[in-house]
Amino acid sequence: MPGTVLLRMEEITKIFPGVRANDRVSFDLKSGEIHALVGENGAGKTTLMKILYGLQKPDSGTIYLKDQAVSIKNPKDAIHQGIGMVHQHFMLVPPFTVLENIILGKESHRAGVLNMNIPAARLTEIIRENGLQVELNTNVEDLPVGLQQRVEILKILYRGAEILVFDEPTAVLTPHEAEELFDTFRRMKEQGKGIIFISHKLDEVLTIADRITVIRRGRVIKTLEQTEASKPLIAELMVGKPVFLEVDKKPKVADRVILKVSDLQATSERGHKVLNGINLEVHAGEIYGIAGVEGNGQTELIEAIGQRVKLDAGDVLLEGESILTWDVRRRRDQGIGHIPEDRHKYGLLLPFSLADNITLGRHHQPPFVKKFQIIDQKQIRAYSRETIESFDIRTPSELTPANALSGGNQQKVIIAREMRFEPKLLVAAQPTRGVDIGAMEFIYSQLIKAREQGKAVLLISADLDEILSLADRVGVIFKGRIIKEFKGEDASREEVGFYMTGEQESA
């Protein structure tokens, strides 16, 4: 059972120009407790945790650690006070070993010589206590994502953290790895540590959290005990209205092949086989879901479909025609739409206006150009305003820069752009990564709409529940090939998750 109060954040307020990110937020954490923090993108969760970790200073309010008021000026201060944070994007040095990463900045010296034996002995004990098995002398770059996360956890435990903050920790894990992480959470609870768990996955929140605090628009709406919480209730508190994530798909005959990938093989610049004879077909009016741990060839498959890349063998066919020699523009003009896995890196020109981003890739075509290829800004703005209204993109204007929007609204811009140009094939890579439950509901509806309009949808997602909810067929990718294929109605979380680990391969 949770014990004494480790942390109290009282009346925390943080104001940015034009935005009240935290509005008199009060939050507490007990020893031996997992306290989930949930809310839409932009609700204020991250700002609150940045204040706790010393990355932001509050405009008002007080932080208490074990009833003692403290000032946390920076992350070094936070670590010294026993607060550790595992970020969604890991803070590791890939060429360094596990041990070197963990002790970096807290090395042991003897007579001016680095001593690795003392930390190694201490870490062995921490690993045993928390079930975080990892080889200390392995280079981090050689570890799968799940083990890299263990290194991040070991880093903060090695520094003596009693309060641990986890930001979307299961986003890149298989179901089995997520359960192993939760086992570690339970062990840390038994040791009296307090865990703050930030997640959009409400099923996981309900599984692991003792209490759940919902934040909306910078304010605490309610804190629920696990026994009184339910997924519909949490979702409604987060969004302010009922949310429906159950996917209602009409039966559909999908016979015409839109995309065919045949024996695709490719080697990375470092000489590793990244595509190893991958074969798949996606039909009109079908969502084909690819399930797999990230780093098993998904990115290389997406690149082979969307752009001209170097391949060792194989072919990619769009409606029976090879596209290997086509450049990106021709592929898009011929009907390939793409929701990229990283919206900032590949999906948007962040400093540019929404109008520019909404017409990106089609700006050279009518009605956006006049005679002599002169861009028609009036048409672009009118089209963009219509798109913004149709897709409920929350923005003051079509001239607002993309980097001023929340993650969910940025993702809506990309989906609106791709859907409005009526693709034959829509490649949707991690379409709901980092978006809140309201945006997730909208994105699901758009993918189902594309399916019902007869489009072929290739869905690549690290979220297995998302794959199982949406896909008509599921292919499991492992080491660059599809090792097992399921009909959507036959795919179970346990069996698909089992194949994702590569424990059993089936041609």
Side-chain angles (χ1 to χ4, degrees), residues 89-355:
H89 301 288
F90 302 152
M91 307 292 181
L92 300 171
V93 183
F96 282 18
T97 67
V98 169
L99 180 58
E100 289 166 344
N101 268 279
I102 292 169
I103 69 172
L104 189 62
K106 198 173 174 62
E107 299 88 347
S108 296
H109 297 270
R110 180 177 291 171
V113 178
L114 190 64
N115 187 332
M116 305 294 270
N117 294 325
I118 295 173
R122 186 172 160 212
L123 275 167
T124 301
E125 183 65 18
I126 294 172
I127 287 169
R128 186 189 61 78
E129 288 176 353
N130 296 279
L132 292 166
Q133 296 303 320
V134 63
E135 183 57 53
L136 293 177
N137 293 319
T138 302
N139 287 358
V140 161
E141 63 190 353
D142 296 326
L143 294 176
V145 173
L147 292 185
Q148 288 187 25
Q149 186 182 72
R150 290 184 184 183
V151 179
E152 286 283 17
I153 299 170
L154 288 168
K155 272 171 60 178
I156 58 177
L157 291 175
Y158 179 70
R159 284 157 177 76
E162 293 295 317
I163 296 168
L164 297 95
V165 181
F166 290 86
D167 186 6
E168 297 286 348
T170 65
V172 294
L173 301 183
T174 67
H176 178 67
E177 288 172 329
E179 190 49 52
E180 286 182 337
L181 176 65
F182 292 160
D183 284 341
T184 296
F185 281 6
R186 294 180 186 107
R187 291 191 189 206
M188 291 192 289
K189 270 181 60 173
E190 290 172 4
Q191 297 164 24
K193 299 186 188 302
I195 296 169
I196 301 171
F197 176 47
I198 301 172
S199 180
H200 289 305
K201 298 182 179 181
L202 298 189
D203 289 324
E204 293 182 350
V205 167
L206 289 166
T207 297
I208 197 68
D210 299 298
R211 285 191 294 160
I212 301 153
T213 291
V214 181
I215 296 184
R216 186 169 80 235
R217 295 181 183 176
R219 292 186 174 183
V220 170
I221 301 300
K222 192 166 187 178
T223 295
L224 301 164
E225 297 291 334
Q226 186 187 45
T227 51
E228 62 180 323
S230 68
K231 191 173 178 180
L233 174 60
I234 298 170
E236 185 170 349
L237 290 171
M238 285 169 60
V239 179
K241 64 180 182 68
V243 176
F244 304 98
L245 285 175
E246 296 300 320
V247 174
D248 182 22
K249 292 187 300 186
K250 298 181 178 70
K252 205 163 177 62
V253 176
D255 51 5
R256 185 163 57 94
V257 176
I258 299 295
L259 173 72
K260 183 172 183 177
V261 175
S262 299
D263 192 34
L264 213 57
Q265 300 182 42
T267 306
S268 72
E269 291 180 357
R270 298 179 64 185
H272 297 148
K273 199 79 170 174
V274 288
L275 294 177
N276 194 19
I278 193 167
N279 292 282
L280 63 89
E281 291 183 353
V282 189
H283 301 86
E286 172 187 53
I287 298 177
Y288 186 101
I290 292 186
V293 179
E294 289 191 73
N296 276 284
Q298 295 95 320
T299 298
E300 291 79 11
L301 174 62
I302 294 164
E303 289 174 348
I305 295 168
Q307 57 188 283
R308 192 160 53 197
V309 294
K310 184 181 178 183
L311 298 168
D312 299 334
D315 207 350
V316 179
L317 307 175
L318 183 68
E319 292 189 306
E321 186 175 358
S322 176
I323 66 173
L324 294 187
T325 60
W326 297 1
D327 60 16
V328 174
R329 175 174 284 189
R330 185 173 176 191
R331 294 183 195 215
R332 290 182 65 77
D333 288 348
Q334 291 297 318
I336 298 179
H338 181 205
I339 301 167
E341 56 188 332
D342 186 330
R343 58 180 167 268
H344 289 174
K345 193 172 181 181
Y346 302 115
L348 297 166
L349 297 173
L350 288 168
F352 284 53
S353 71
L354 297 190

Side-chain angles (χ1 to χ4, degrees), residues 7-12 25-29 47-49 51-52 62-64 196:
L7 164 72
R8 278 188 295 128
M9 303 181 78
E10 290 196 353
E11 298 285 305
I12 301 293
V25 172
S26 294
F27 174 87
D28 67 80
L29 177 71
T47 300
L48 188 67
M49 290 302 101
I51 289 169
L52 176 62
T62 309
I63 298 174
Y64 297 89
I196 301 171

Side-chain angles (χ1 to χ4, degrees), residues 384-397:
S384 299
R385 285 194 296 269
E386 182 187 330
T387 302
I388 287 165
E389 184 177 351
S390 298
F391 286 80
D392 191 29
I393 299 166
R394 311 291 174 85
T395 177
S397 160

Side-chain angles (χ1 to χ4, degrees), residues 8-27:
R8 278 188 295 128
M9 303 181 78
E10 290 196 353
E11 298 285 305
I12 301 293
T13 295
K14 179 66 181 178
I15 301 170
F16 297 104
V19 179
R20 189 176 285 265
N22 290 145
D23 188 359
R24 293 172 296 165
V25 172
S26 294
F27 174 87

